[in-house]
Amino acid sequence: MSVKINIKWGKEKFNDVEVDPSETGLTLKSQVFALTGVPPDRQKWMGVKALKAGKLEDDTPLASLNFTNGQNVMLVGTAGELPKEPPKPVVFVEDLPEGEINELVEFNHPPGLANLGNTCYLNSTLQCLKAIPELDEAVKTYGGAVAEDTDHNVTVSLRDLFKTLDHTNQPVPPMLFVHLFRSAFPQFNQRTERGYAQQDAEECWSTLVRALSQKLPAIKLGGESPARTNAVNQLFSGEIVSTYTCKEAPEDKLVQKDTFTKLMCHITSQTNFLVNGLKESLKEEIEKRSEVLGRNAVFQKEAEITRLPYYLNVQFVRFFWKSNSDGGNKAKILKPVEFPMVLDLFDLCAEDLKATLKEHRNILTEREDLRLQNRHGIKGKEKEGEKKAEEDEGAMDIEKSLPPLWEQKPLQNETGLYELYAVLTHKGRDADSGHYVAWTKQSEDNWLQYDDDVVRHYKDNDIKQLVGKGGADWHIAYLCFYRTKKPE
């Protein structure tokens, strides 16, 4: 049962601050950081007998402090960043030698997120979310301050965290966000004897996306009123039509239209490629009541996509419940499944959608064929200068003769083609342990790996190794994130 204490900080006083004795010092310090702006490492607590020199450790059980209702404590600490004198004279980039500039550009990268106790699932999810420019901007322009609405608090805290990540190259400890996230969604606040429990990154992604869908307004598209009501729906939602046919009474048929924000790749012994797994997931047998037979029966479900999302999230269904003498755990399917850098969903679409996609795809094919003809036409030139001049002249001529692209609609996929921009991997043998890592694409053949607070550079070939051939001891793709491939 929580207690309420009064905190005096300078000339300010915060009454009835709720303290949960089942939490640790990190939680209380995060609460106070939200109220005062005093970073946790600068907080000193006076009037608390159980603390030596007023220092509250992150893992200190709050129950050991024996707080009572109405107790007065004093907080000492300075808010905000203290100004520091630069350890070295400032040198501008343009004054550096060329070699140092190249090294700086090559190794410069966004910051990682500190692990606050089995929060790798959350850190990797946040990095994949931030890799979406439209969502990043929508979150950072969200208004308001922390209040009583939990979805609002999570969105506000995410906004502040994303802004912090933009203005530093040092690892960021997301203490306030973690506190508000766990408070808003208690299923992520579970603890074991060793501390906070490991959680499922896909459940974290879905939870955050649902919360953001309740708060982020629609993205304005050239002054037009958007058809979908919020930014999440605009970016992630597609539509699918499922037909359920009773196997014993084929006349008993039900057609159902739904929206989706992810596709699932079920993994069987025959699943070797992502596209095959997606196709199999759209066809399955389920048991439901047949109104014709008056009893439960087996229905064949077949689904087709009727509207494609702009961003596509694909989940590899790798975890399943496995019973054992201790009750059971969520075991992991380790079978390798290849995923492409460019994903084509044309075959998963309904016929009406295919007709529209085909018109646009034919234009792309014709444009690419003409470009290839131009390149082959100048391939045999002997003189390098003559070859280069003709390449340049031919490129300009061929671009003028290409069939024009269609008038593209914003935030819509009109070809069925997607390119991989992020992968979230899991290393380990079950869902209750192991480690999650995010990999995001920065540019052509340039990826970043976010292993909590450690950030490293990788290439396309490294990403292709995440299919699962290294077994449980290597990173295996759990979520693949694709974005609409823009026509060239």
Side-chain angles (χ1 to χ4, degrees):
M1 183 176 180
S2 62
V3 297
K4 294 181 178 180
I5 63 173
N6 304 318
I7 300 176
K8 189 175 187 306
W9 175 58
K11 295 181 180 180
E12 297 187 58
K13 189 173 183 181
F14 302 90
N15 293 321
D16 297 330
V17 176
E18 196 165 299
V19 177
D20 185 351
S22 66
E23 293 288 351
T24 62
L26 177 62
T27 300
L28 179 56
K29 291 197 290 186
S30 298
Q31 285 178 265
V32 171
F33 177 47
L35 291 171
T36 65
V38 178
D41 58 347
R42 291 197 207 142
Q43 295 176 14
K44 285 193 175 182
W45 297 78
M46 303 293 111
V48 183
K49 294 181 180 179
L51 297 179
K52 293 183 179 179
K55 187 174 182 181
L56 176 59
E57 300 291 348
D58 289 351
D59 57 355
T60 299
L62 295 183
S64 68
L65 304 184
N66 299 316
F67 283 130
T68 58
N69 281 314
Q71 180 175 344
N72 294 313
V73 298
M74 180 180 293
L75 175 71
V76 178
T78 308
E81 183 68 25
L82 293 174
K84 296 179 181 178
E85 182 179 346
K88 297 180 180 179
V90 175
V91 179
F92 295 98
V93 173
E94 55 266 29
D95 297 329
L96 290 171
E98 183 177 351
E100 290 188 31
I101 294 177
N102 293 337
E103 184 178 346
L104 179 66
V105 172
E106 181 180 354
F107 290 99
N108 186 35
H109 50 66
L113 293 166
N115 193 314
L116 302 180
N118 272 340
T119 56
C120 60
Y121 72 93
L122 181 58
N123 290 346
S124 54
T125 299
L126 293 175
Q127 296 289 8
C128 290
L129 279 171
K130 198 173 189 317
I132 303 168
E134 299 88 347
L135 184 71
D136 182 43
E137 184 63 24
V139 169
K140 288 189 295 192
T141 55
Y142 183 76
V146 173
E148 295 183 359
D149 184 330
T150 54
D151 288 341
H152 168 77
N153 288 346
V154 167
T155 308
V156 166
S157 182
L158 185 61
R159 175 201 66 197
D160 295 342
L161 178 59
F162 278 6
K163 287 183 177 180
T164 300
L165 290 170
D166 285 344
H167 292 92
T168 183
N169 58 4
Q170 298 299 313
V172 174
M175 288 180 286
L176 180 57
F177 181 82
V178 170
H179 169 66
L180 292 174
F181 178 73
R182 286 171 171 164
S183 298
F185 310 110
Q187 66 269 35
F188 296 99
N189 201 29
Q190 297 174 348
R191 306 185 70 170
T192 67
E193 296 177 353
R194 294 174 292 179
Y196 285 102
Q198 178 66 287
Q199 302 288 343
D200 189 308
E202 193 287 320
E203 292 177 10
C204 176
W205 169 276
S206 296
T207 300
L208 279 173
V209 167
R210 280 196 297 270
L212 294 175
S213 71
Q214 300 300 310
K215 294 301 169 184
L216 294 181
I219 299 170
K220 294 181 180 179
L221 305 173
E224 298 181 6
S225 298
R228 281 162 276 172
T229 57
N230 61 71
V232 168
N233 285 342
Q234 287 175 294
L235 297 173
F236 301 118
S237 74
E239 291 180 355
I240 198 164
V241 170
S242 302
T243 302
Y244 299 85
T245 305
C246 181
K247 300 190 75 170
E248 296 180 62
E251 67 274 18
D252 191 357
K253 185 174 293 188
L254 171 67
V255 178
Q256 182 174 312
K257 186 176 183 178
D258 298 293
T259 60
F260 68 91
T261 55
K262 70 174 179 180
L263 292 179
M264 301 175 72
C265 176
H266 291 285
I267 302 173
T268 69
S269 59
Q270 305 301 315
T271 308
N272 296 311
F273 301 96
L274 172 60
V275 172
N276 294 341
L278 292 176
K279 288 180 180 178
E280 293 168 6
S281 298
L282 294 180
K283 296 182 179 180
E284 59 180 335
E285 291 185 351
I286 65 169
E287 185 176 325
K288 63 189 298 289
R289 179 173 175 79
S290 168
E291 297 301 328
V292 172
L293 300 176
R295 56 177 172 81
N296 283 357
V298 176
F299 281 71
Q300 178 68 44
K301 174 190 172 184
E302 296 191 4
E304 296 177 317
I305 297 173
T306 54
R307 180 172 59 79
L308 291 163
Y310 192 66
Y311 284 91
L312 175 68
N313 172 18
V314 176
Q315 177 191 2
F316 292 91
V317 185
R318 291 199 172 274
F319 298 119
F320 67 99
W321 185 257
K322 183 178 181 181
S323 299
N324 55 40
S325 58
D326 296 326
N329 66 333
K330 289 175 70 176
K332 184 176 177 182
I333 299 173
L334 299 175
K335 179 176 172 47
V337 179
E338 303 276 351
F339 56 85
M341 303 299 278
V342 175
L343 177 64
D344 189 349
L345 291 189
F346 182 82
D347 290 340
L348 278 63
C349 296
E351 291 302 321
D352 288 349
L353 179 54
K354 281 183 178 179
T356 303
L357 298 179
K358 195 169 184 179
E359 292 179 13
H360 301 151
R361 292 160 69 96
N362 286 342
I363 293 174
L364 296 181
T365 300
E366 187 176 352
R367 289 169 64 90
E368 184 59 28
D369 287 347
L370 287 171
R371 287 194 180 103
L372 287 173
Q373 290 174 19
N374 178 63
R375 286 196 286 268
H376 291 158
I378 60 173
K379 193 172 182 180
K381 298 296 179 182
E382 293 182 2
K383 296 181 179 179
E384 189 63 33
E386 179 184 352
K387 179 179 178 181
K388 180 68 170 66
E390 190 163 343
E391 280 181 350
D392 294 340
E393 184 179 346
M396 289 191 296
D397 290 341
I398 201 68
E399 288 298 325
K400 293 178 183 177
S401 66
L402 292 177
L405 291 169
W406 62 95
E407 186 177 348
Q408 299 169 55
K409 298 177 182 178
L411 299 184
Q412 291 194 34
N413 185 301
E414 300 176 291
T415 63
L417 298 173
Y418 292 87
E419 61 179 350
L420 188 70
Y421 77 90
V423 182
L424 195 156
T425 59
H426 179 266
K427 180 167 65 172
R429 295 191 174 275
D430 61 69
D432 297 327
S433 61
H435 186 57
Y436 289 101
V437 169
W439 317 65
T440 68
K441 186 173 184 178
Q442 303 301 297
S443 57
E444 194 65 31
D445 200 27
N446 179 24
W447 291 72
L448 291 180
Q449 180 209 61
Y450 293 93
D451 187 351
D452 287 327
D453 57 348
V454 178
V455 184
R456 303 182 182 90
H457 287 265
Y458 284 89
K459 300 292 186 181
D460 283 352
N461 284 335
D462 300 308
I463 304 305
K464 294 174 183 178
Q465 305 306 311
L466 304 177
V467 298
K469 293 182 179 178
D473 297 327
W474 185 242
H475 308 280
I476 302 178
Y478 181 41
L479 299 175
C480 278
F481 300 99
Y482 288 87
R483 62 189 170 205
T484 290
K485 192 175 191 300
K486 295 182 179 180
E488 297 179 2

